[in-house]
Amino acid sequence: MSLLSRWLTATSGVLTVAAVTWGRRRLSSRHDGVEVVAPRTELPVLSDIRAGLGAAQAEARLAGLRDWVEYSGRAAEHRQPALDVLCEALRDLPWPGTEVDQRWRMVLQATLSAHLRPGPGFWLGSDLDLRDTTLVDFDLSQCRVRDALFTGTRFLGDTRFDESTFLGEVDASGAFFGRHVLFTQSVFARGLGLRGTTVCGNGEFSHLHAAGAVSLRGARFSGRADFSCARFGGDVDCSGVRFGGRALFRRAWFAGASSFAGAWFRGREDFVDAAFGGDSSFENTRFGHRIHAD
C-alpha cells in the first residue's frame, strides 16, 4: 500500500481540519522551547494548486490541498475560483483508477461538501460545475448552493441531495444514478432539469419544493419514484418517462401545466389527492396497473 493510501486510510475523517491547519500556519522559529508559527506570506497560484491536486505523488497532492485551503481562505473572492479548481480535480480523476484515486475522490468530495453546508467554513452563493464527472456516494444533503451543473455526471452508490437548497438553476440532464438518489425536502428556487436521467434504484422526491419549471422528459426509473407531497410551482414535464417501479404522486401539487404524455407506468401509480392547478396531459400514457386517483 502506498504512502498516500495509508495516510488517507488513517486520517480521512480529519483531513479537512488538518488541511485548514496546515494551510494557514507554517513553522518559522522556536522561542523558549515553543514553536512559533507564522502565516504564509506568498499566495499560492491556482495553476500550481490545480497541478498539485491532480498529481500522482502523495506529497504533491497533500501540498496542493494545503495550498488550496490557503488560497481560498485569504479572501472571499477567492472561494469560487478555488471551488472551480476542486471540481476540475474531481472531473479529471480516472475511473475506476487506483485505490489511491478512489480514496482521493472521497477526500475531495468531503472537502467540497464541507464548504457548501451551513456551519464553520460555509461559503454562501457558490456555484458547482461537476459535468461529466464520476462521483461515488456523493452527499450534498443540507447544503446551500446557487447554480449546479451535473449534466452527464455518473453518480455511483447512493446519492443525497435531501434538505438542500438551490437558489439558481440545477441541471442534471443525462445524469446516471447507479443506485438510490434522495431529493427529499429539497428546495429549488428556479428550476430542476432531470431530462434523460437514469435512476437504477429508488428516486425519493417527497416534499420537494420547486418554484420554477421541472423537466424529467425521457427519464428512466428502475425502482420506486416517490413524489408524495411534492410542490411544483411551475410547469412539470414528465413526458416519455418510464416508471419501472411504483410511482407515487399522492398529495402532490401542480400549480402550472403538467404533462405525462407518452409516459409508461409499469408499476403501480398513485395520484390520490393530487391537485392540478393548470392544464394536464396524459395523452398516449401507458399504465401497467389500475390508476389510484381517488
Side-chain angles (χ1 to χ4, degrees):
M1 184 180 289
S2 69
L3 170 64
L4 180 59
S5 182
R6 292 196 301 271
W7 188 87
L8 292 177
T9 301
T11 64
S12 59
V14 296
L15 177 68
T16 302
V17 175
V20 171
T21 303
W22 293 329
R24 291 180 178 173
R25 301 187 298 179
R26 299 295 176 91
L27 293 179
S28 58
S29 62
R30 285 180 174 268
H31 181 68
D32 294 334
V34 179
E35 292 181 340
V36 179
V37 179
R40 176 175 176 163
T41 57
E42 73 280 6
L43 187 66
V45 181
L46 275 178
S47 58
D48 295 338
I49 297 174
R50 183 180 294 107
L53 293 177
Q57 299 79 15
E59 294 81 1
R61 284 186 173 181
L62 297 178
L65 187 58
R66 293 194 295 267
D67 288 344
W68 181 89
V69 174
E70 174 70 16
Y71 178 87
S72 62
R74 285 292 184 95
E77 57 267 25
H78 292 171
R79 294 173 179 177
Q80 188 60 56
L83 198 60
D84 292 340
V85 168
L86 198 67
C87 289
E88 288 179 28
L90 276 168
R91 186 161 48 246
D92 293 339
L93 272 176
W95 177 260
T98 64
E99 179 185 354
V100 172
D101 292 330
Q102 295 171 26
R103 293 185 181 277
W104 188 244
R105 178 180 287 105
M106 304 304 291
V107 166
L108 296 182
Q109 289 181 184
T111 304
L112 185 86
S113 299
H115 290 292
L116 299 177
R117 190 170 287 123
F122 172 57
W123 293 352
L124 179 66
S126 298
D127 297 328
L128 276 183
D129 185 353
L130 288 169
R131 291 173 292 180
D132 301 311
T133 306
T134 298
L135 304 171
V136 180
D137 291 326
F138 188 61
D139 186 358
L140 211 66
S141 60
Q142 301 178 354
C143 288
R144 302 294 182 268
V145 185
R146 192 166 54 189
D147 294 335
L149 297 177
F150 298 105
T151 54
T153 299
R154 293 197 304 170
F155 296 92
L156 306 181
D158 291 337
T159 305
R160 297 190 57 181
F161 295 102
D162 49 308
E163 300 183 45
S164 289
T165 299
F166 298 89
L167 301 176
E169 298 287 347
V170 180
D171 190 357
S173 299
F176 175 86
F177 296 92
R179 203 162 180 263
H180 307 314
V181 56
L182 278 73
F183 283 95
T184 307
Q185 298 185 40
S186 54
V187 177
F188 300 88
R190 298 188 65 181
L192 172 61
L194 293 171
R195 185 185 181 110
T197 58
T198 299
V199 180
C200 294
N202 297 330
E204 301 292 341
F205 300 86
S206 60
H207 298 275
L208 173 149
H209 288 251
V214 174
S215 177
L216 287 89
R217 177 186 288 265
R220 302 289 185 269
F221 293 90
S222 296
R224 181 181 65 252
D226 188 353
F227 292 87
S228 299
C229 300
R231 296 293 182 263
F232 301 103
D235 295 342
V236 178
D237 185 2
C238 289
S239 57
V241 176
R242 291 193 179 185
F243 297 96
R246 296 186 64 188
L248 307 176
F249 290 89
R250 181 183 290 263
R251 294 189 296 277
W253 183 66
F254 301 85
S258 57
S259 175
F260 291 86
W264 187 7
F265 294 88
R266 299 187 63 183
R268 294 187 178 276
E269 57 285 324
D270 189 342
F271 284 89
V272 173
D273 293 330
F276 295 87
D279 295 334
S280 59
S281 173
F282 285 85
E283 183 179 2
N284 296 322
T285 302
R286 290 183 288 178
F287 298 95
H289 296 270
R290 188 178 63 180
I291 304 173
H292 296 270
D294 297 336

